[in-house]
Amino acid sequence: MSPSHAWMRMADRVATQFWPKPALYVVATPIGNLGDLSLRAQISLQQADVIAAEDTRLTRPLLDAWGIGTPLIAAHRHNEAQVAEAIVGRLAAGERVALVSDAGAPGVSDPGARVVRVVREAGYPVVPVPGPSAVIAALMASGVTTDENPAFAFAGFPPPKTVARRRWLEEWCRLQAPVAMYESPHRLSATLADLLAVCGPERPLTIARELTKRFEEIVTLPLADAQDWLVAHPQRAQGEFVLIVGAAAAPESDMLDARTEEVVQALLEVMSVRDCAKVAARITGLPRDALYARALAIKNGKSDDE
């Protein structure tokens, strides 16, 4: 059987599955490669009476590429409340409505969650149609999680202002699990500098750039080398980024005895957290990551119990 015949046979099979009506179909769309639209997503968009899209100008080329002629309405963060009510009205009339964002999964760092909540509160079914996701794609290619320890955290976009971003990173990067976040190209350098200051030079960082697109790059390196990687090629300052910060070191409270605490506190009076951890590691022979975490906690006036 040829691939085209197999595809048509599978399409017929999927089309005969259960497609509730009325219902809201929350459909994940490609994050770059148009071929990542799933067969089920294609049929969901074809069978919908209307597609609510974050930006109709961006969604229309995808629909045209797949031969989907379903009408579009705009559903972005500035009109989400009104569109949610309009969608409920369409569901009340017995329609199927599909919800998409510009790329990836609606409601995950994209508009859509408010529409979903309103539809659920109105008593109508919400059908997730999973598919492309930048954060999941980056995790798949990074190797930072395992089947024995699959934990990770998704933090979304860091705040744009420096002070708020530093505080935000300090909170997230304290977790003993990999932390994935998005960042825009024009703020990437500043965020890498803040990550270095917060996490120290040895913390591993995965940078995933332009996922599923022609110039896709995925690297894992120490934070100390991240800026050099970024400036090595001018095109690396462009595109969309997922950053995955390695898990924080487990607390080693038995290793950080009273004498070590005194050393760290004394060094913090005359040097930065980064330099303090470096010097304290030489004095005590203890891991720099653990000393860095303790020095940062002391500087922020936080105890180990917080």
Side-chain angles (χ1 to χ4, degrees):
M1 180 181 296
S2 68
S4 60
H5 287 158
W7 179 269
M8 292 176 62
R9 187 182 70 171
M10 184 58 68
D12 290 340
R13 181 176 178 181
V14 174
T16 59
Q17 294 175 354
F18 179 56
W19 296 91
K21 181 179 183 179
L24 175 69
Y25 291 78
V26 185
V27 183
T29 55
I31 59 176
N33 192 316
L34 293 179
D36 287 339
L37 187 73
S38 74
L39 178 57
R40 184 166 170 241
Q42 178 194 10
I43 294 174
S44 298
L45 298 175
Q46 285 175 332
Q47 291 196 357
D49 295 287
V50 69
I51 298 171
E54 181 181 0
D55 188 332
T56 57
R57 297 167 299 178
L58 295 178
T59 300
R60 176 51 65 193
L62 171 67
L63 301 185
D64 290 344
W66 281 89
I68 299 169
T70 307
L72 288 166
I73 59 173
H76 46 74
R77 57 176 43 91
H78 302 296
N79 73 345
E80 199 169 357
Q82 299 95 313
V83 170
E85 295 301 328
I87 288 174
V88 169
R90 286 179 173 270
L91 296 175
E95 294 186 356
R96 292 189 186 97
V97 180
L99 176 67
V100 300
S101 59
D102 290 346
V108 182
S109 284
D110 277 329
R114 186 169 189 172
V115 171
V116 169
R117 288 195 300 270
V118 170
V119 168
R120 289 174 59 85
E121 289 168 0
Y124 294 101
V126 176
V127 181
V129 183
S133 165
V135 64
I136 297 300
L139 286 165
M140 290 168 63
S142 69
V144 299
T145 58
T146 65
D147 52 350
E148 295 88 0
N149 184 16
F152 71 91
F154 174 53
F157 280 93
K161 301 289 183 66
T162 301
V163 173
R165 184 169 56 240
R166 285 275 184 105
R167 291 174 179 167
W168 186 89
L169 290 172
E170 287 171 0
E171 291 295 325
W172 280 105
C173 295
R174 190 179 294 121
L175 297 178
Q176 293 173 44
V179 178
M181 62 191 73
Y182 294 152
E183 190 50 288
S184 58
H186 63 281
R187 286 201 296 266
L188 180 62
S189 180
T191 297
L192 292 178
D194 288 342
L195 277 169
L196 179 62
V198 168
C199 299
E202 297 179 359
R203 184 83 72 92
L205 175 72
T206 296
I207 304 175
R209 170 181 173 271
E210 291 289 85
L211 286 168
T212 79
K213 303 181 181 72
R214 180 180 178 183
F215 298 107
E216 175 183 275
E217 287 186 89
I218 304 167
V219 299
T220 300
L221 35 68
L223 267 167
D225 299 335
Q227 289 285 8
D228 290 341
W229 177 88
L230 179 63
V231 302
H233 298 286
Q235 75 270 17
R236 285 179 177 163
Q238 304 171 10
E240 298 174 339
F241 293 84
V242 180
L243 307 178
I244 305 176
V245 184
E252 302 181 56
S253 55
D254 55 331
M255 299 176 66
L256 303 182
D257 56 18
R259 176 55 182 163
T260 302
E261 189 89 359
E262 291 177 3
V263 170
V264 171
Q265 290 182 356
L267 292 173
L268 277 176
E269 295 177 2
V270 295
M271 59 184 63
S272 67
V273 170
R274 179 182 177 183
D275 290 340
C276 169
K278 184 177 181 179
V279 174
R282 290 179 179 175
I283 294 172
T284 65
L286 297 177
R288 190 187 301 185
D289 281 354
L291 292 164
Y292 186 94
R294 184 59 193 140
L296 186 63
I298 292 173
K299 182 180 177 181
N300 292 336
K302 297 178 179 179
S303 69
D304 288 333
D305 295 330
E306 287 185 304

